[in-house]
Amino acid sequence: MAKPRSVFICQNCGASHTRWAGKCDSCGEWNTLVEDGTNGGIASGPAGLRSSRKGRAVTLTSLSGEIEEAPRIVSGIGELDRATGGGFVRGSALLIGGDPGIGKSTLLTQAAAALASKGHRIVYVSGEEAVAQIRLRAQRLGVAHTAVELAAETNVEDILATISEGKRPDLVILDSIQTLWTDMADSAPGTVTQVRASAQAMIRYAKSTGAAVVLVGHVTKEGQIAGPRVVEHMVDGVLYFEGEGGHHYRILRTVKNRFGPTDEIGVFEMSDKGLREVANPSELFLGERSTKSPGAAVFAGMEGTRPVLAEIQALVAPSPLGTPRRAVIGWDSARLSMVLAVLEAHCGVRFAQHDVYLNVAGGYRITEPAADLAVAAALVSSLTGLALPADCVYFGEVSLSGAIRPVAHAQQRLKEAEKLGFSQAVMPAAGDEQNAGGGRQTFQPATLSDLVVRIAGARARDADD
């Protein structure tokens, strides 16, 4: 018999190579190829020795027909249900990632207890903690009395044999996918082969039985889920649990969801009793802002279907360095460079001799380009030393020509601002959106220079008074 052929698998991206190399050709990382004698879990050998079967014909159907809405398991935790699109879908696989100690296990323990109290069978399998540690957390959260079934196991075959006994579980939580291993692969736990094979076995169980499976994934220093990206493509939904160590709130962000909208967020507040829902995150992000300080602008943003107001803080100070500093927290640094270039090229505002620091209050992270206008207003306000109106919100995209481009959901942004007591808005004007302000006082600049003139005009009006 021919000797089985070994392959070398990249531990970063999962790509297979026929020979070892110092650099992976797929992702470009160095020293990530590891020999795998199992060929990725697939038996190898000469083509003549492999058994083959004749394929069977499958039934083809049309696009039209009845649509059955996927049944969901509602946890009762509003922010978690919002992020998942209305609850856990039966037969689906969900991947949750986050930094160590951010609260992933706490959130899933609370969710498991909430579902178990409604009569669902919940199985919580931990590969990183002992059963006693999970019980201690449950006692701290006050949910130790719920009928959640616990296990501390890492072998996939043993886990499947355990949960297959008795009534089918409604939800299976596996913490974490990097600790699981299967007999189908000879690699060590945590390698690409084991992670992929273990995830595939659990997803196959979810699809065949109708039980919802939640996988917990480690996060790398870059903030992405560790292991092969193929796992993110295999599951039905991917959630990231975000938060800063110095802040007491946590954000559950949806980046993939086959059964609901993406870019949804759920906001929680961490306390000694666990995670508490934050129904109105705008009040949380604006709770301690100073209304008379220059360099602060309130941005009316959108997270999925939810409007969120956040304060953008800018500090422009003379630089003693030959190359001024540009520091950003909570926003894209490349986008800040673009806004600074537009202000210099089209508005005559000079930042070449100034350090620029930009921060989104509360550690909140903004991803949409609609924040360009609020960032520009905060930068000009800090440079001129003029405080912006305390009851005004800003949103709009800035183009390289200096024009203000319209953004979606203007009505929802304005309604959220009005609910929190903001009576003014600086927003783009385009077509039907010109009347979006209703009875509110709105300023709709055509170019960024119009906004700079308006902010600088406040100094002239104060001098006249």
Side-chain angles (χ1 to χ4, degrees), residues 352-377:
Q353 304 299 324
H354 293 78
D355 292 332
V356 176
Y357 302 90
L358 191 73
N359 176 51
V360 181
Y364 177 59
R365 183 167 60 88
I366 298 175
T367 57
E368 60 172 331
D372 292 349
L373 202 60
V375 170

Side-chain angles (χ1 to χ4, degrees), residues 43 53 56 169 190 281 296 302 311 340 403 439:
R53 67 175 181 85
R56 61 179 180 85
M302 292 292 297
E311 184 184 35
L340 291 174

Side-chain angles (χ1 to χ4, degrees), residues 99-113:
D99 295 330
I102 202 67
K104 301 185 299 294
S105 300
T106 299
L107 174 64
L108 293 176
T109 302
Q110 293 183 226

Side-chain angles (χ1 to χ4, degrees), residues 67-421:
I67 301 176
E68 295 183 2
E69 188 173 350
R72 296 181 180 270
I73 308 173
V74 181
S75 66
I77 303 177
E79 296 300 302
L80 176 61
D81 292 336
R82 171 188 284 270
T84 55
F88 297 102
V89 177
R90 297 185 184 275
S92 67
L94 196 66
L95 180 63
I96 297 181
D99 295 330
I102 202 67
K104 301 185 299 294
S105 300
T106 299
L107 174 64
L108 293 176
T109 302
Q110 293 183 226
L115 290 170
S117 62
K118 295 184 178 181
H120 298 287
R121 185 191 177 195
I122 310 299
V123 178
Y124 190 109
V125 181
S126 176
E128 300 180 345
E129 296 177 296
V131 172
Q133 293 176 290
I134 304 175
R135 288 174 177 170
L136 285 174
R137 184 190 308 119
Q139 292 178 1
R140 176 173 58 86
L141 300 176
V143 295
H145 61 281
T146 56
V148 178
E149 302 179 36
L150 302 178
E153 182 56 54
T154 57
N155 182 261
V156 173
E157 284 74 20
D158 294 343
I159 294 174
L160 292 176
T162 302
I163 61 181
S164 298
E165 297 180 353
K167 177 186 175 183
R168 181 206 68 189
D170 296 295
L171 179 67
V172 179
I173 300 173
L174 301 173
D175 187 6
S176 66
I177 186 62
Q178 275 82 12
T179 61
L180 300 185
W181 61 279
T182 174
D183 297 332
M184 299 298 295
D186 295 335
S187 304
T191 59
V192 170
T193 303
Q194 286 287 3
V195 170
R196 181 166 45 191
S198 301
Q200 189 173 18
M202 297 309 304
I203 294 173
R204 190 184 308 115
Y205 168 80
K207 301 299 181 183
S208 61
T209 63
V213 174
V214 176
L215 307 174
V216 179
H218 293 169
V219 169
T220 63
K221 60 182 180 180
E222 289 82 12
Q224 297 179 346
I225 295 178
R229 298 301 298 270
V230 68
V231 176
E232 297 189 29
H233 301 308
M234 294 165 59
V235 297
D236 299 305
V238 180
L239 306 177
Y240 280 93
F241 207 42
E242 304 171 353
E244 299 290 339
H247 300 286
H248 58 278
Y249 80 93
R250 303 288 186 266
I251 293 179
L252 186 64
R253 188 182 301 273
T254 307
V255 296
K256 175 186 177 181
N257 192 354
R258 289 176 178 163
F259 306 104
T262 57
D263 293 332
E264 282 283 5
I265 64 168
V267 184
F268 299 88
E269 183 180 4
M270 178 64 78
S271 65
D272 56 347
K273 299 296 182 182
L275 293 167
R276 182 183 65 85
E277 299 179 60
V278 178
N280 192 347
S282 298
E283 293 183 349
L284 176 67
F285 297 135
L286 299 176
E288 300 178 354
R289 74 185 187 101
S290 176
T291 59
K292 298 182 179 180
S293 300
V298 177
F299 166 58
M302 292 292 297
E303 288 289 350
T305 59
R306 164 186 281 180
V308 176
L309 268 61
E311 184 184 35
I312 296 180
Q313 302 170 344
L315 176 61
V316 180
S319 176
L321 306 175
T323 303
R325 287 178 53 87
R326 303 288 188 261
V328 187
I329 299 177
W331 203 49
D332 186 12
S333 58
R335 198 131 193 114
L336 172 63
S337 300
M338 187 203 76
V339 173
L340 291 174
V342 173
L343 285 171
E344 290 214 18
H346 298 287
C347 304
V349 183
R350 305 301 177 188
F351 295 94
Q353 304 299 324
H354 293 78
D355 292 332
V356 176
Y357 302 90
L358 191 73
N359 176 51
V360 181
Y364 177 59
R365 183 167 60 88
I366 298 175
T367 57
E368 60 172 331
D372 292 349
L373 202 60
V375 170
L379 291 172
V380 176
S381 172
S382 177
L383 182 64
T384 59
L386 300 173
L388 299 174
D391 59 344
C392 184
V393 296
Y394 301 80
F395 61 91
E397 182 181 353
V398 176
S399 66
L400 290 178
S401 63
I404 307 299
R405 298 175 58 87
V407 295
H409 309 294
Q411 284 280 13
Q412 293 176 261
R413 301 172 196 262
L414 293 174
K415 287 181 180 179
E416 179 71 12
E418 185 180 21
K419 186 191 306 182
L420 296 177

